[in-house]
Amino acid sequence: MGFAQNVKSSVTTCTMNQLYAAMDATITNDVCAEISDALEQVKRGEMSREDFETFKRDKKKELMVLTPHATFTDGQRQNKSAVPSGLSMYDVDHIPDPRGYFQTLVKDRCGELGIVMAHVTPSTEGLRLIFEVPEGMSLAEAQQWMSEQLGDASYDGSVKDYARCSFIVPRAYLLYIDEEELCKERKVEKLEQSENFEKSENIKKSETSENFEKISASDRNLRLFDLCLAEAGLKLEEIDQMGVYNWHNTLVAILSVGICRLMTQDELKAVLSVKMPNYAKEQDCQRLVSDFYKDYTKMNAPMSLRLRAIYAESVTGEKDKALTTEDVLGDVPPQLPRRLPKLVKLLLSKEPDVYKPACAMGIFPALGAHLVDVHFPYADHTMHEATFMTNCMAPMSSGKSCVNRVCEPIMADIKARDDENRKREDEWKEECRSMGANKQKPKRPDDLIIQIMSSDLTNAALVQKLQDAHGHFLYTQLDEVELFDQLKVNGKSGQIGKIFRLAYDCGYYGQERVGIQSVTGRPQMRWNWNASCTIQRGQHFFRSMMADGTLSRLSFSTIVTYRGMLMPIHGIYDEKFGEVLKPYIDRLNAAQGIVDLPQAQRLIQKLDKEAKDTAWLCDDEVYEKLSYRAVVSAWLRAMVLYIAEGKWSKDIENFVLWTMRYDMWCKMHFFGDQMHLQMAGEEVRTRGPKNMLDQLKDAFTHEDAQAIRIRERKKKSNPTQMLCTWIDRGYITRDENGVYHKTPTYLKRKKVA
C-alpha cells in the first residue's frame, strides 16, 4: 500500500511500523477526537448536520492517508502511474453501530472474504474493510462482489479508483488486522471491467427498461416528484408539452435536486410515465435517468439538509400534519420547521440553533415597523395592520438579547433616518432655548419622523411621537419588560396593558390640553416592540393582563437551555449580510394600500380549524380564548413575509403554522394555570389542559366521559354538551346501544401525530 502525510502529499510505500506510528500520532488522535466531539454536538442539537459534514471534511484533510489500491511510480495519486496492490477497500457508511455491524456480520468471515484490515471511519459512523481482490476481477467487480457477500445493495460504487485514499484512524478504531496478508506482495495487473461484467450490467439495464412499465408509481413517489419539481423552481403545468429539448432541461433540473437518492431507478421511471408520459417514451429520457444513477448519484453519501427535509416531508407529510394537543401541551415547544421562508432563513443564519425559535418570533415587530399605510382584510371583514408585540421569557443568563442582535440589521435603515431627525429636533430645541422669552419661537418641524423609541416616555412625548410618525410604527426594544411601567398615563403607572390593547388594534390614543405649549392630539396607536424577561418576572408583570384580553394580543417565545451546554457562537452581521437583506426591506418600505390574496384567506381557515380542534379536544376555555388572536397574529406574519419575499409560498404557510403552535405553547406553558384562576376562580391546577378524548378508550360510555370531567375538575360534570360537540366535529360516533366510538379519521389523525 501507499502512504502519504495528507491527501495532497506525495505517496511512498507504507510499512507496518509507519502505519502504527501514524495511528498513534497525536495529530491522528486529536483530529478524530474533535470529529467525535462535533458529532456529539449534532446529537445534542448544538450543531447542524450540514455544519458537521463541512467540519468533518475540513478536519480529515489534516489526517495521514493510505492508498490501499496501489502505489505510484511517480509518487502522485493518479491512475496512469498506479501499481495495483491487489487490495480493495469497501465502505459501509452511515450505520449507527459500526463495531456491532463488524462483530455480527463480518468478524467470523474475515478469512472467507479475504479481509486483511477493518476499522471504524473517522466520523465513527461508518466501517471500512480492506480486502484482497478476487482473482480475475477489476476493482469495480470486486466492489460488487463484496456487496453481494454482505447483502449491501446500496454500496458506495465510487470506491473503484486506484488513486482513492483512506484516512488513517487511531489504533483504538482498529477492529481487525492481519499483518502478514496486509504486507504480502502480490503481482497483479490493472484490470478494467470484464466483458461479462459489462454484459451483466447491460442485462440489468435492459430488464429495468422492460419492466419499469409494470411498476406503479406510489403516492409517496409522486409527491416526491412534485416536491423536487418545486425545489427546482418549476411548475407542473405544461411540463409534458414543451418538446424534447425543454423536457431534457426540466428533468435535469429535477434530477439535480437529488431525487435519485429518494427512489430507485425503476420507481422514478414509473413516476415519469405518469408525470411526463410523452417524454418518458423517448430514448433521451431513458439515457438521462440511467446516466444520473450511474455517474452522479452516490447513494451512501450524506444527504443535504434540504434533501433530508424533502424526504421527511414525503414520508410524514410534516408540512401538512394537523396540530395535535402534544404540540401545545408537551414538555418541549414545537420544533422549528426544517424548511423556512427565504427571509426567515436569512435572518436566522447567523444565530445558533438554540436561539433560532426566539429570533424567528422576534423579527416581526421590526419587519412590521417598515410598513406604512398597509392594511390587511381579515376573514371577518375587519382591517388589520402589521401590529406585533413579542416578549421572550427564558431563564436567567440564557441569551435573551439574541433577538436584539437579529433586529438591529432589520432596523438599520430606520435608525439612520432617526439619527438625522433627532439631530434636527435637537437643533430646533436649541434654537428655541437661545431665544428670549418674548420672542416668537420657530415652528416645530412637522416631518420629524422618529420611530425607534425608549420606554422612558412621558404620556405627552408618546402622543407627540405618534403624531410626528404620520402613520409609521414606533418601535422599542427592552431588555426588561418591567421598564414599560416607566410610561405613566395621567400620572399613574400600571396602565400599560391598556396601551398594549390599543396598539394591537391601532386604536386612537391621545390627550386634550388647554395650554398653548401643551401637546394635544389623538393619533392612532401604532407601536411595535420586542421585550424580554425571566420567566418569574414575566409571570408577575403580566398577572393583571391575563383575563382582560391583553395577553392574547401579545406573542411569546422562550429559549430552552440545559446545564453544561457549550457556549453558543453568534455570527457577524456585516455589510454583505445587509446587502442580501436589503431587497426584502425595500419591498416592505415600498408596500402601500390593501393587501390580500386567496391563499391568505385559506390559511386563516386552516389556522382557525386547528385552534378550534385543539380547544375542543381539551375542552379548555383558556386555550380557546387565547387562540383567537393567535390565529390573527400568525396570519399577519404570513402577510408580512408575503410582501417581503414578493410571492406566496408553502414555506410561508408552514412557518406561520409553527408560529401559532409555538406561541400557544408558550402562553399555555407560562400562563395557563394562572389564567384558569383568573377566568374561573378555581384553584390553580398543577398541569395544563389535557385531551380528554385521548384519555378515554376507543369505545366508551356516557358515564366514562362524566368520570373524566370530574377527574379534570370541570365546572360541569355532565358531558352531554362535550359529547355532542365531539360528534358534530367528527371525532366520535354513537351506536344504537348508546356506546361512543372514536372515528377512524380521529384515530388516524392521532396515529400520524
Side-chain angles (χ1 to χ4, degrees):
M1 294 189 299
F3 170 83
Q5 288 294 327
N6 55 58
V7 291
K8 296 182 179 180
S9 300
S10 298
V11 179
T12 61
T13 302
C14 184
T15 66
M16 287 307 304
N17 289 337
Q18 198 173 30
L19 174 60
Y20 285 135
M23 287 182 170
D24 296 334
T26 301
I27 184 70
T28 304
N29 285 272
D30 288 349
V31 168
C32 289
E34 290 181 49
I35 294 174
S36 179
D37 289 343
L39 181 60
E40 289 301 314
Q41 292 181 48
V42 173
K43 293 177 180 178
R44 295 196 301 265
E46 298 169 12
M47 177 184 286
S48 68
R49 172 59 72 164
E50 190 174 42
D51 289 343
F52 170 71
E53 295 297 338
T54 302
F55 175 83
K56 179 180 69 174
R57 182 181 65 244
D58 293 340
K59 295 302 295 183
K60 283 165 62 176
K61 293 176 182 178
E62 302 176 24
L63 292 171
M64 291 171 273
V65 300
L66 294 174
T67 56
H69 294 161
T71 54
F72 304 89
T73 56
D74 58 2
Q76 303 302 312
R77 288 195 302 113
Q78 47 189 353
N79 285 331
K80 66 181 181 180
S81 62
V83 179
S85 66
L87 299 175
S88 180
M89 58 181 175
Y90 186 89
D91 290 338
V92 185
D93 293 325
H94 306 292
I95 50 179
D97 182 14
R99 295 177 184 274
Y101 183 99
F102 177 79
Q103 293 293 330
T104 305
L105 299 177
V106 181
K107 182 179 179 181
D108 295 335
R109 303 179 63 197
C110 287
E112 170 195 346
L113 299 175
I115 294 172
V116 296
M117 186 165 74
H119 65 78
V120 176
T121 58
S123 70
T124 70
E125 294 184 299
L127 177 68
R128 174 155 291 170
L129 307 175
I130 296 178
F131 66 100
E132 187 172 15
V133 176
E135 186 176 355
M137 289 189 184
S138 66
L139 286 178
E141 292 164 342
Q143 289 284 305
Q144 185 188 62
W145 173 81
M146 181 60 79
S147 74
E148 292 170 352
Q149 303 307 307
L150 297 178
D152 180 13
S154 58
Y155 71 97
D156 186 354
S158 65
V159 189
K160 58 186 179 184
D161 192 331
Y162 283 111
R164 188 70 178 254
C165 66
S166 172
F167 293 101
I168 293 178
V169 295
R171 200 185 295 231
Y173 287 28
L174 190 62
L175 303 176
Y176 175 82
I177 189 166
D178 185 331
E179 296 182 9
E180 183 178 348
E181 289 297 320
L182 184 64
C183 299
K184 178 180 176 181
E185 290 190 11
R186 300 172 179 84
K187 290 185 178 181
V188 293
E189 297 180 2
K190 285 186 183 178
L191 293 176
E192 302 302 329
Q193 293 178 358
S194 68
E195 185 177 346
N196 289 336
F197 183 81
E198 291 284 1
K199 288 181 179 179
S200 174
E201 289 294 296
N202 291 334
I203 290 173
K204 289 180 181 178
K205 291 178 182 178
S206 175
E207 290 175 347
T208 297
S209 178
E210 293 174 0
N211 295 332
F212 86 90
E213 296 282 1
K214 301 177 182 178
I215 300 176
S216 60
S218 68
D219 290 340
R220 172 182 166 273
N221 286 340
L222 292 172
R223 187 162 62 250
L224 274 171
F225 181 91
D226 292 341
L227 292 169
C228 291
L229 185 73
E231 180 68 12
L234 301 171
K235 295 183 179 179
L236 186 62
E237 296 82 9
E238 301 182 353
I239 64 170
D240 198 45
Q241 285 79 41
M242 296 188 297
V244 173
Y245 179 76
N246 286 327
W247 284 339
H248 178 95
N249 290 335
T250 296
L251 186 54
V252 167
I254 297 169
L255 292 169
S256 299
V257 171
I259 194 172
C260 298
R261 294 291 307 278
L262 305 176
M263 63 181 75
T264 66
Q265 187 170 340
D266 290 353
E267 289 174 332
L268 178 57
K269 289 181 177 180
V271 168
L272 291 174
S273 69
V274 175
K275 294 291 186 178
M276 303 179 73
N278 294 318
Y279 184 47
K281 300 173 183 177
E282 298 285 338
Q283 285 297 320
D284 181 73
C285 177
Q286 302 293 320
R287 183 171 59 254
L288 180 59
V289 171
S290 297
D291 287 346
F292 258 84
Y293 276 90
K294 177 183 176 183
D295 299 325
Y296 303 110
T297 304
K298 186 176 179 182
M299 298 304 293
N300 281 354
M303 283 188 183
S304 66
L305 289 175
R306 181 65 206 112
L307 198 59
R308 293 205 301 270
I310 290 175
Y311 173 75
E313 185 181 342
S314 72
V315 173
T316 66
E318 179 181 349
K319 281 191 175 182
D320 299 316
K321 76 172 185 178
L323 176 66
T324 68
T325 52
E326 186 65 22
D327 290 324
V328 291
L329 306 178
D331 294 331
V332 295
Q335 297 300 300
L336 197 66
R338 290 185 179 89
R339 180 167 178 172
L340 299 170
K342 293 180 180 178
L343 174 56
V344 178
K345 182 179 180 180
L346 170 65
L347 292 172
L348 302 188
S349 62
K350 302 292 186 181
E351 294 302 312
D353 290 346
V354 68
Y355 295 142
K356 286 182 178 179
C359 293
M361 297 294 289
I363 61 177
F364 288 95
L367 293 173
H370 288 77
L371 295 176
V372 185
D373 193 27
V374 178
H375 298 82
F376 309 106
Y378 194 59
D380 61 0
H381 304 299
T382 58
M383 285 290 181
H384 289 262
E385 295 185 51
T387 54
F388 301 103
M389 295 171 282
T390 303
N391 185 55
C392 180
M393 293 175 59
M396 179 176 61
S397 302
S398 57
K400 296 182 284 295
S401 62
C402 63
V403 176
N404 296 345
R405 289 173 54 84
V406 178
C407 289
E408 284 172 4
I410 299 175
M411 297 297 293
D413 63 324
I414 291 178
K415 183 179 183 299
R417 185 183 61 194
D418 282 3
D419 290 344
E420 179 64 28
N421 285 339
R422 286 186 189 279
K423 181 179 178 182
R424 291 176 56 216
E425 185 180 35
D426 290 341
E427 291 172 350
W428 170 77
K429 289 179 180 178
E430 183 60 32
E431 185 179 358
C432 290
R433 282 193 293 267
S434 66
M435 299 179 68
N438 296 325
K439 292 294 183 85
Q440 180 72 29
K441 302 294 191 295
K443 183 180 178 182
R444 189 177 192 276
D446 60 1
D447 59 345
L448 292 176
I449 300 174
I450 299 174
Q451 292 182 249
I452 302 176
M453 309 299 299
S454 71
S455 63
D456 191 5
L457 287 171
T458 64
N459 192 61
L462 178 60
V463 174
Q464 182 67 69
K465 295 304 181 185
L466 287 170
Q467 289 186 127
D468 290 344
H470 296 295
H472 291 73
F473 279 88
L474 303 187
Y475 175 77
T476 301
Q477 286 182 353
L478 288 181
D479 290 331
E480 297 294 339
V481 73
E482 299 99 318
L483 293 176
F484 276 123
D485 280 336
Q486 293 175 336
L487 180 60
K488 295 178 173 60
V489 181
N490 296 326
K492 300 178 181 178
S493 61
Q495 305 294 307
I496 193 65
K498 297 178 182 179
I499 295 178
F500 290 165
R501 295 195 295 275
L502 284 173
Y504 188 82
D505 301 328
C506 293
Y508 287 93
Y509 175 81
Q511 63 177 24
E512 298 289 343
R513 299 291 184 269
V514 297
I516 296 176
Q517 300 297 328
S518 300
V519 176
T520 298
R522 191 169 175 266
Q524 280 185 280
M525 175 63 75
R526 294 184 176 92
W527 189 14
N528 285 359
W529 52 260
N530 282 109
S532 62
C533 59
T534 62
I535 296 171
Q536 294 80 4
R537 288 291 184 90
Q539 290 172 331
H540 182 266
F541 180 79
F542 293 108
R543 70 187 185 284
S544 62
M545 306 180 196
M546 297 180 190
D548 61 5
T550 303
L551 195 73
S552 66
R553 288 171 166 85
L554 311 181
S555 297
F556 290 86
S557 64
T558 190
I559 299 171
V560 179
T561 60
Y562 57 89
R563 293 182 63 185
M565 66 179 287
L566 298 178
M567 179 179 64
I569 305 299
H570 301 273
I572 299 175
Y573 297 88
D574 51 16
E575 292 183 2
K576 184 178 180 181
F577 180 87
E579 291 173 1
V580 179
L581 177 62
K582 188 176 184 299
Y584 299 101
I585 301 300
D586 288 345
R587 280 191 282 267
L588 292 171
N589 288 329
Q592 197 169 18
I594 296 175
V595 180
D596 189 23
L597 65 163
Q599 297 96 315
Q601 295 300 318
R602 289 195 292 269
L603 176 62
I604 293 172
Q605 302 303 323
K606 184 174 184 178
L607 291 165
D608 184 65
K609 182 179 184 303
E610 287 202 353
K612 283 185 169 60
D613 280 347
T614 304
W616 280 106
L617 284 170
C618 298
D619 193 20
D620 192 274
E621 185 180 6
V622 169
Y623 185 93
E624 183 177 16
K625 297 297 184 185
L626 288 175
S627 69
Y628 293 152
R629 292 190 180 92
V631 170
V632 177
S633 296
W635 162 72
L636 286 173
R637 294 184 193 102
M639 300 308 295
V640 170
L641 290 175
Y642 164 67
I643 293 174
E645 297 197 354
K647 62 180 181 179
W648 189 266
S649 69
K650 192 71 173 176
D651 293 339
I652 291 177
E653 291 190 22
N654 273 325
F655 174 73
V656 299
L657 277 167
W658 171 82
T659 66
M660 185 190 76
R661 299 167 182 174
Y662 183 88
D663 182 30
M664 288 302 301
W665 184 93
C666 291
K667 287 173 179 173
M668 297 302 298
H669 190 73
F670 295 135
F671 304 109
D673 290 342
Q674 294 184 51
M675 285 196 68
H676 275 288
L677 178 64
Q678 289 194 20
M679 293 178 64
E682 294 179 350
E683 180 183 355
V684 177
R685 298 184 296 179
T686 57
R687 62 179 65 194
K690 297 172 65 177
N691 185 329
M692 290 193 288
L693 184 50
D694 281 352
Q695 297 179 62
L696 293 164
K697 296 180 180 180
D698 291 353
F700 60 93
T701 64
H702 185 279
E703 290 72 25
D704 295 333
Q706 186 174 27
I708 289 292
R709 289 189 64 84
I710 293 173
R711 190 173 71 192
E712 288 298 306
R713 293 186 289 178
K714 298 297 181 181
K715 287 186 292 185
K716 297 179 180 179
S717 61
N718 191 328
T720 301
Q721 182 179 354
M722 177 183 74
L723 293 171
C724 290
T725 302
W726 287 355
I727 292 174
D728 183 60
R729 299 191 71 84
Y731 304 149
I732 61 174
T733 59
R734 184 175 183 270
D735 63 23
E736 63 276 7
N737 298 319
V739 177
Y740 297 91
H741 302 268
K742 297 177 185 178
T743 62
T745 301
Y746 177 81
L747 292 172
K748 181 179 178 181
R749 172 181 180 274
K750 178 182 176 185
K751 183 178 181 181
V752 170

